[in-house]
Amino acid sequence: MHLEISNLYKQFLTKQGPLLALENINLHVETGELVCAVGASGSGKSTLLRLVAGLDQPTEGSITVDGVPIMGPGSDRGMVFQKYTLYPWMTVQKNVESGLKLQGMEAIQRRQRASYYLEMVGLAGFARALPKELSGGMKQRVAIARALACQPKILLMDEPFGALDVQTKEAMQLFLLDLWQRTHCTILMITHDVEEAVFLSQRIYVMTARPGTIQTEVHVELPMPRHYEIKRTQDFLSYKNAIIDRLRT
Amino acid sequence: MAASIVLPLIAWLIISNLPGVNSTFLPSPQNVIEAFQRLGAKGVITQDTIASCIRVSAGFALSVAIAIPLGITMGAFTSIRALFEPIISLLRYMPAPAFIPLFIIYLGLNEEPKIALILVGTVFFNTLMIMDSVKFVPKDLIEVTYTLGGNRLQVLKSVITPYIIPSIIDTLRVNIATSWNLVVVAELVAAEDGLGKRILLAQRFLRTDEIFAYLIILGVIGFALDLAFRGVLKLSCRWAFD
């Protein structure tokens, strides 16, 4: 898998005239990487992810996956939104199966595949529950399982833990790191939380606002697997502080 | 809930039995019960109720069969909405009973004009209310479906439609009341049987007790339908309630 974004511009037409949301974005993600784009609100990071997902078209520039330009949304790029996007009328099991069903997979295969991914996110016992019966963190785990069930080349995550309380958020970060190491999936995640970005990523793109540009790229050379304690180490803090300084400028 | 029905009943019982109250104008509950027994023995209650129910069912079923696909596609596609919304918004302000003479000219005096009246009187409201409910389908839910490999048709069928089923059931619950209004209007104008027809006959013979009896039947049918729709909603859309 090779995601390549080059010379990307995105302009929105607003009532006040054109608004440049993204300016000259160059970015790449390789197989098995966990990459975060971190930036304040208004830095166009969500727009960037929507462009990669194919939910929006760039004004200029190109986005390719394995050399093939993106022509709209597709199940090769799984997406997890900040808002809860489970289908409320379906059980957890049916939710995880839904992508496979849309692609026309047989019921038996679908069920097996969905169960496998539910097991992977630790929610096998909730297969028959409705989304409204789950906590926020559990809903996001189901959403991740649903995206992974389609076996995408890359998982796109738009502030997936942004709506969660601090304790749940930390638990979900550990969960994601663990999942990433077990499945060797490729992840591009958007967050405004610098600590979250440093804790999770191998590489970080730091974005600044108006217009959204990539300020710098940071390689996080902290050892894996990581645990909570690493957040208190000097190495971690210096990464975090360096990025915060970059965001201020 | 019981009190809101029982108290007016008691008031009616007392007032209608006061000396000086003419039972031709205000029949007492006892009179009405007698009227029920009399009409029931003749078999007309069942006959009239069935006749009216068939008209309402036929007219409203046609209305729903048109309104659901039309409302959903109007809600989902701006082009289809632009095509139908102006004309529907205009038509729905034309009072349906005003169409009765036209329907009689076109369709005669049998069941067709009555069914047509119910259809015309409810289809526009059904359509517009279903169309509106599509607006409340969260955008994220639609977008996530695209990222899971869904196409437009699948979004319509597997996301928008199931999401608005509770709204559809609620819309039907509200609008079926209109079809009961209209069936009575149609039967008052021209009919051989039906609840409205019987009320008209009762008026000719000054049988206010029978009019009361039929009004109560209409009320009970409406109330039962409302409860039935609520029940169906609760049972079939458990996900939509906390």
Side-chain angles (χ1 to χ4, degrees), chain B residues 5 41 50 53 81 143 151 155 170 177 187 192 197 213 235 238:
Chain B
I5 291 170
I50 290 174
C53 277
R81 181 176 184 154
E143 290 190 331
N151 57 37
V155 166
D170 225 34
E187 289 167 355
E192 295 297 317
K197 177 66 183 180
L235 285 177
R238 196 168 65 88

Side-chain angles (χ1 to χ4, degrees), chain A residues 77 199 230 246:
Chain A
R77 284 149 289 136
F199 183 64
I230 203 170
R246 286 295 200 146

